[in-house]
Amino acid sequence: MPALLQLYGSPISTYYNKVKIALIELGLPFEEIEVMPGAGQWPDSGSPSGKIPFLRHGDGHVYESQAIVEYLEDIRAAGSPTLFPSEPLQRARCRELILYLELYLDAPMRPVYQSVFWGKEMPAGQLERTLQELEKGFRLLLLRTGLDPWLCGESFSHADSAAWVHLSTIQWALALAGHKTFVQDHAPELSGYLQRLSERPSVIQAEADRREASRRIKAERNAAKGS
Ligand SMILES: N[C@@H](CCC(=O)N[C@@H](CS)C(=O)NCC(=O)O)C(=O)O
């Protein structure tokens, strides 16, 4: 029997959910093993960078979400669903859109996440700098997609799982930072697309698990504070 795919990380993590949505969409059976960043020692129980997610498959490990989803494509059975377009230039555009999301939208948000989700102090002027960078990120993304109806055309692709985790988290964090309508105001084209994504069964499942894990982790933290 082939080894089961084991996804390590936390359902509250954006990059973990990018991979999880891909696994569900590809119809690959997998097991989830909950670990927080830096929780384990590489190579036995952690990743070289300390980051999550990572994948274990038999005796092998794959680190970095993009390497993981490309591995999933490499091992899927011939004729089974794929999350990459078949035409090479469209495949390249799909990978390009993932990079836009990760480099020009997620990366500038990191200091804001640290502040609104983890209570760290934000350097002076950081929010304004992030908002400027986001405007550029949205411009790049929208220059290269017609949202017709998905990011890379007619079929849901790896770019869409990345888009959901990053865009929904950006919206949530900006609402907490007092900019609830920023995405709507600066990239109104994304509203219908985000609605479509939120109705996708793979996204509904990942979101339900994220909410549940988030509630549990918060309760554990509060209990630890009280003890
Ligand atoms: N480039 C990595 C990014 C993964 C990442 O940043 N994961 C976050 C959780 S969403 C993490 O582990 N953060 C802890 C850290 O930065 O040390 C990937 O694509 O897997």
Side-chain angles (χ1 to χ4, degrees):
M1 198 166 77
L4 186 64
L5 295 160
Q6 294 178 306
L7 179 62
Y8 284 74
S10 166
I12 66 168
S13 145
T14 46
Y15 286 90
Y16 178 90
N17 284 327
K18 167 188 164 186
V19 176
K20 178 167 166 175
I21 292 170
L23 280 159
I24 299 168
E25 291 281 348
L26 290 168
L28 293 167
F30 66 103
E31 178 185 11
E32 295 181 71
I33 299 181
E34 199 160 339
V35 292
M36 291 303 271
Q41 206 59 25
W42 183 79
D44 298 325
S45 56
S47 67
S49 64
K51 293 187 187 191
I52 53 166
F54 56 95
L55 184 84
R56 183 168 179 188
H57 193 198
D59 292 335
H61 288 82
V62 189
Y63 306 99
E64 291 287 324
S65 63
Q66 195 57 31
I68 299 172
V69 299
E70 306 254 356
Y71 176 72
L72 299 179
E73 290 285 342
D74 287 344
I75 60 163
R76 74 184 171 83
S80 65
T82 168
L83 294 184
F84 273 133
S86 54
E87 201 276 313
L89 272 175
Q90 294 310 321
R91 289 169 87 85
R93 185 167 67 100
C94 184
R95 294 185 171 107
E96 173 195 329
L97 288 166
I98 295 169
L99 286 170
Y100 288 162
L101 286 156
E102 296 184 353
L103 296 175
Y104 306 122
L105 291 168
D106 174 61
M109 280 300 289
R110 286 303 172 119
V112 180
Y113 293 159
Q114 287 295 323
S115 163
V116 298
F117 296 143
W118 303 103
K120 300 238 169 84
E121 204 171 314
M122 204 157 21
Q126 179 62 57
L127 184 57
E128 292 67 26
R129 281 196 295 280
T130 293
L131 294 178
Q132 273 179 8
E133 290 188 51
L134 288 184
E135 282 187 47
K136 178 178 142 200
F138 287 136
R139 217 171 29 246
L140 286 178
L141 192 71
L142 291 170
L143 276 174
R144 293 289 284 156
T145 176
L147 296 171
D148 46 2
W150 301 109
L151 225 48
C152 296
E154 276 175 17
S155 302
F156 185 96
S157 75
H158 288 294
D160 297 300
S161 18
W164 170 258
V165 297
H166 294 307
L167 296 175
S168 64
T169 310
I170 289 170
Q171 263 192 326
W172 177 26
L174 289 183
L176 294 173
H179 292 267
K180 193 170 182 222
T181 61
F182 187 85
V183 178
Q184 208 174 306
D185 295 343
H186 292 85
E189 300 89 330
L190 291 175
S191 295
Y193 170 64
L194 281 166
Q195 181 61 34
R196 254 190 315 285
L197 279 170
S198 73
E199 291 163 3
R200 191 97 183 161
S202 57
V203 169
I204 291 173
Q205 184 180 331
E207 276 300 298
D209 294 349
R210 182 185 65 73
R211 284 205 182 88
E212 168 58 31
S214 182
R215 257 194 303 272
R216 178 172 38 78
I217 290 167
K218 215 178 272 169
E220 283 165 6
R221 284 222 176 101
N222 287 340
K225 264 190 220 152
S227 63

